[in-house]
Structure formats: structure tokens, C-alpha cells
Amino acid sequence: MTHARKRGIFWGVLGVLTVLCPLCLSNVHRLAAQPSSDISPRWRIANEPPGNPQTATEAPASFNPNNYNNGLLSDTDFQQDKVSFETVETVADGLGPTYNATSCCECHGNVITGGDSQVTEVRSVRLTAKGYFASLGGSIIQARATFPDIVEHVGPTDTIRAQRKSTPVLGDGFVECIANNTLLALSQAQPAVMRGLPAIVPVLEADITPMTMQNFTLSNAVRIGRFGWKCQHASLVSFASDAYLNEMGITNPLFPTENLSDGRLVDHTTAYDPVADPEDNGTDIQAFAAFMRATDTPARGPITSSVTRGETLFTQIGCAVCHTPTIVTAPAGTLINAGAFTVPTSLGNKNIHPYSDFLLHDIGTGDGIPIQPTPDFTYTANVMRTAPLWGLRTRNRLFHDAQPLTLTEAIQRHKAQALAVAANYNRLTATQKQSVLDFLNSL
Ligand code: HEC
Ligand code: HEC
């Protein structure tokens, strides 16, 4: 349990049906054709109108540890929900039996609560003639457990393995409020060889069927994903619910079933878990989502003349094709998340500077693990989300696998769809390269 005040829980929001946008769907279908895909037109992506660049105002940006509430919540509520995000859970609260860490903040805390961390986690799947299959206990191999005999291990036949680093959640309320139409338009505007794929994912709180990792499939309640290295979620309530179970082992209304440990049942019907499911009644999930939605975007460092020159070069050589400098969020009042959320005033029609298109690209780093090992998501196995570069100066390990340790190494690792742009970078003079690095270090 966290110390969050009890909130009115509104799990029942359903069914406001998405408006079929045939144009968008045909685009998705066509775009998806590039890495082999079978995104079917039967999934309806809501027509979420874009914001207006003429009237949009700047989203607040800060790394101020004392106050980074963007205005969505009262300061008291913000502090309470932040405490929920920081609270260390125990076995009596439902932690485990298999888990990765004891609080959200343990992996999302640099340099303030909601930032990222060096923590990586292990995923594994296997590929057979019949397609991708998750490992026995799910594709995340939890690093810790509450008993010695149930710590998970990668199975010898699960030969596709990956490390995935924690991503920051600061400013993600604004990202959630980017309209589907905006992401599709970004994709459309990209040259064909560099075009990003939108990930189409379920919005769990807009669907009536509680999810398990076994039935994480597409239904009518879908939206374009934007969170996680594979854009595997479109809503912060969905992500928080998934993380509470898969990172901390705490079952909740959207993920009511405890994970298996290497295929073995370890839930409250066994001696491994003293707490009945769901271990959270939804209160904590709502607090996590509210906190994330209420955070400011990451603030820039000092802008020198070299930084300004570097930003111009960044755009001129093509980095900005994927690392989109400015996006306007949908207008306040827009119904998003397949009907489960309405864009609030504090998040609507705001300019944000994420330096990401929130689309999936093949830059030669795809880790071979799809969003979920089901046919719906096979097309996501070898593409990665354009890493948002806001807050970059707070990270000293880069990419999904935390392998590049310098910006130059990161740039040199851009191949495939980004090969020509990386070559443009390599043709710059030493001074110009330094300006691009200065710019990146100002983010
Ligand atoms: C053990 C470390 C760990 C813990 C604990 C953890 N996370 Fe995460 N989080 C991650 C990793 C790793 C990713 C990237 C996952 C991926 O895409 O494969 C992530 C991604 C996210 C994202 C997506 C952010 C973005 O913009 O891409 C959200 C939102 C999030 N976590 C919320 C939470 C919440 C809420 C909690 C607490 C219930 C939590 N996380 C606990 C490691 C953790
Ligand atoms: C075709 C799209 C594309 C282009 C063009 C592109 N990038 Fe990227 N960039 C990505 C993707 C995708 C990732 C994440 C890769 C991963 O983690 O496997 C990424 C990651 C990064 C990262 C690491 C960020 C982090 O937090 O880990 C940096 C830095 C970066 N890019 C800088 C650049 C620069 C500078 C250029 C221009 C020379 C550029 N990129 C061009 C798609 C692109």
C-alpha cells in the first residue's frame, strides 16, 4: 500500500467508440508494410485531432526537485502521489514473489523522482517455425524473488535475449496527450527510407477484459503506443498497471494474475505469497499515473552559441527527422486513450520538445523481442522507439541496452534507416561535430 489518499476509482470507463478514420488506417497499413507486418485494418484507431501550433503555449520545463508539478494537480496531491511513486513495498503489501525492484523510484529516480536510472532488465523469448514464444515465466526474467527456489532463470532454449534500460517518465503526461493523428502525420512526413512505424497497442483501462500476459492482444480499444522502448503502451494507467505487476509483483485491477516463476505457480494459493489478488485495488495505480501526468518536462541546460549552431546542424543533417524537436499536444477536452481519458487544460495544446517522433525505427539495434510474443506484434521485433533526447545530459549509459557510453559511440551505432544521417554527421568538420555534441549535452 502507498500513503496515497483514497481516490475515486474509475475503472469502468468504457466503450466510447473510436471514430473510424479510413485514411489513417490505410496509412498504417501501408507504413506497416516496411518491416514485414500484418497490422490488420480491423483495429480502429481513434481520430484524435492535433493541437494548433499557432495558439499552442510552452509546456513547463524544470528539474526543480521541490516543485515540478505542471499544474495538473494541487501541490498537496502532487506531493502525495510522488510519495506513492517513491514508496518501498514489502511482501505484506504484495511485493513479489518474483520482482525486479521495490519501488517505481528505484528505477525512475535520476536526478529527481520520475527520471530514469542505470537499472536494466533481462528479457528473453524463443523463435520457432510457429512464431515467437515468451519464456516460461513471461518475456521479462525478473531479477529477484522472495524465496531462493523461485528466482527466475533464462531457459536454454530462449535464445533471443536482451537488456532493456529504464526510461524516464518526466513530462510523459504531455506525451500521452499527443494525438494519434499527430503521430501518423509525423510518419507520413518522413522520407520513405526513414519512415517510422506507429505501434498499435491495447489501452487496457478502456477494455472490459482484465489483461494477463497471456491475453495481451489487440481488441477494439487500441491507440498508437508511445511509451517504452517498443512503444508498447499508449496510456500511463496501462503502463503503471503493467509495471506494478511486472517490476514489483503487485497485482492490480488490470493485471489481476500473479506472474509465474519459470512456469511455476507462486501466487497466494501457494506458500510463496501471503496476499490475495488483486494486491492493489487500483488506488496506487491511479496515484502513479497522476504523478507521472503532473510532471514538468525535462529542462534544457545553458544555451551557448555553439549549442544553437549544433541544433541547426542536427536538423540540417537529418537527425531531427526521427528526433522531432517540437510536437504540439492535442487540445484540452480531446477524448484520448480509446475513450478512457480527456486531455486536461494543463496538458492540452502545449509545445513540447521531446526530440522523438514516438515511432518505431530499424536503426540496426532491434533486440529481436516483439512487444508481446503474439502474431499481432511480430512486426515490432527488430525496431526500436526513437529515444526521446530530452533530459539526455542526465544519462551516462545510452540506447535500450545501455551499451554506448559516449555520445559519439551512440551516433556511430545508428545504421540501417539512420545510416545516411550518421554518414552526414561523419562528414562534418571537427568544430561542427563539437557543436552537435554541445547541443546534445544541453538537452
Ligand atoms: C526494476 C526497474 C523498474 C521498476 C521498479 C519500474 N520500472 Fe518503469 N521502466 C523500467 C524499464 C526497464 C522501462 C523500459 C521498459 C521497456 O520498454 O522494455 C520502464 C519504462 C516505464 C515507463 C515508460 C516511460 C517512457 O516514456 O517510455 C513508465 C511510464 C514506467 N516505466 C512506469 C513505472 C511505474 C509507474 C513503476 C512503479 C509501479 C515502474 N515503472 C517501476 C524499469 C522499471
Ligand atoms: C531513423 C531514425 C533516427 C535518426 C535519423 C537518428 N536517430 Fe538517434 N535514435 C534513433 C533510435 C531508434 C534510437 C534508440 C536506439 C536503441 O536504443 O536501440 C536513437 C537513439 C539516439 C541516442 C541515444 C539516446 C538515449 O537516451 O539513449 C542519441 C544520443 C541519438 N539517437 C542521437 C542522434 C543523432 C545525433 C542523430 C543524427 C546524427 C540521430 N540520432 C539520428 C533513431 C534515429
Side-chain angles (χ1 to χ4, degrees):
M1 284 295 207
T2 72
H3 309 121
R5 70 196 174 286
K6 297 285 171 232
R7 246 167 224 285
I9 299 170
F10 56 103
W11 290 105
V13 193
L14 308 174
V16 179
L17 261 226
T18 55
V19 181
L20 182 59
C21 167
L23 179 68
C24 304
L25 288 172
S26 62
N27 289 346
V28 168
H29 198 52
R30 189 156 55 77
L31 300 176
Q34 197 215 336
S36 84
S37 155
D38 59 350
I39 297 181
S40 155
R42 79 190 143 96
W43 294 302
R44 298 172 174 213
I45 303 160
N47 176 22
E48 298 169 351
N52 178 351
Q54 260 68 54
T55 56
T57 53
E58 281 300 295
S62 83
F63 274 114
N64 175 354
N66 301 317
N67 180 16
Y68 54 107
N69 173 12
N70 61 36
L72 177 70
L73 298 176
S74 71
D75 286 342
T76 314
D77 286 356
F78 181 76
Q79 293 305 334
Q80 271 178 352
D81 292 340
K82 177 166 165 275
V83 168
S84 298
F85 197 89
E86 292 164 344
T87 300
V88 171
E89 306 290 335
T90 65
V91 172
D93 298 319
L95 181 74
T98 62
Y99 68 103
N100 279 324
T102 59
S103 73
C104 305
C105 191
E106 199 175 330
C107 302
H108 301 287
N110 181 43
V111 293
I112 52 175
T113 300
D116 54 9
S117 74
Q118 81 286 6
V119 178
T120 56
E121 47 197 56
V122 173
R123 290 190 181 239
S124 67
V125 296
R126 82 193 109 91
L127 181 58
T128 73
K130 292 187 177 149
Y132 287 95
F133 291 91
S135 300
L136 281 173
S139 71
I140 297 183
I141 307 300
Q142 275 83 14
R144 308 187 201 174
T146 51
F147 288 85
D149 52 326
I150 58 167
V151 177
E152 289 203 302
H153 293 83
V154 171
T157 56
D158 299 325
T159 52
I160 303 180
R161 293 133 192 213
Q163 298 274 349
R164 296 236 195 115
K165 195 175 71 65
S166 322
T167 51
V169 307
L170 299 171
D172 271 358
F174 296 96
V175 177
E176 187 176 36
C177 291
I178 300 172
N180 283 337
N181 300 32
T182 301
L183 296 177
L184 289 172
L186 282 174
S187 173
Q188 275 303 98
Q190 290 169 339
V193 288
M194 291 170 74
R195 187 161 290 154
L197 280 174
I200 298 169
V201 299
V203 179
L204 310 184
E205 67 274 30
D207 201 317
I208 38 171
T209 327
M211 285 288 151
T212 66
M213 293 324 284
Q214 284 71 44
N215 73 359
F216 185 96
T217 48
L218 295 175
S219 67
N220 274 331
V222 293
R223 188 173 189 236
I224 298 183
R226 66 266 333 260
F227 299 121
W229 288 106
K230 297 273 172 176
C231 295
Q232 64 265 42
H233 279 297
S235 107
L236 290 170
V237 169
S238 294
F239 214 120
S241 305
D242 187 335
Y244 217 16
L245 175 65
N246 286 300
E247 307 295 0
M248 297 166 66
I250 298 186
T251 53
N252 56 76
L254 293 177
F255 285 86
T257 310
E258 204 69 81
N259 276 324
L260 303 174
S261 165
D262 289 343
R264 188 162 151 204
L265 192 67
V266 293
D267 71 2
H268 69 281
T269 63
T270 70
Y272 292 108
D273 186 353
V275 189
D277 300 316
E279 291 158 334
D280 167 43
N281 65 5
T283 309
D284 292 355
I285 297 297
Q286 291 298 339
F288 302 149
F291 164 70
M292 296 190 285
R293 283 173 176 157
T295 53
D296 282 351
T297 63
R300 294 283 297 268
I303 315 281
T304 62
S305 56
S306 176
V307 167
T308 308
R309 280 196 302 277
E311 175 146 27
T312 305
L313 288 163
F314 181 85
T315 301
Q316 279 171 353
I317 64 177
C319 307
V321 169
C322 304
H323 294 283
T324 311
T326 301
I327 298 182
V328 183
T329 62
T334 307
L335 198 59
I336 60 168
N337 292 353
F341 190 59
T342 302
V343 175
T345 315
S346 51
L347 303 179
N349 215 33
K350 294 287 179 197
N351 273 325
I352 57 169
H353 308 288
Y355 297 93
S356 174
D357 54 8
F358 301 99
L359 299 169
L360 297 173
H361 291 272
D362 176 4
I363 66 158
T365 60
D367 62 7
I369 302 202
I371 288 181
Q372 275 297 305
T374 69
D376 286 344
F377 294 113
T378 301
Y379 73 100
T380 63
N382 287 306
V383 285
M384 305 302 296
R385 175 180 77 164
T386 303
L389 300 182
W390 55 8
L392 183 64
R393 72 190 188 286
T394 67
R395 292 189 274 290
N396 59 19
R397 298 159 202 209
L398 304 170
F399 277 47
H400 70 277
D401 54 9
Q403 289 303 303
L405 298 179
T406 68
L407 291 171
T408 303
E409 285 162 35
I411 294 170
Q412 299 311 328
R413 213 170 154 206
H414 284 67
K415 306 271 195 282
Q417 285 191 300
L419 190 65
V421 172
N424 290 343
Y425 174 82
N426 289 333
R427 280 192 290 270
L428 297 177
T429 65
T431 319
Q432 289 173 320
K433 283 182 187 152
Q434 189 55 49
S435 289
V436 172
L437 299 179
D438 288 346
F439 160 66
L440 293 172
N441 280 318
S442 78
L443 294 172

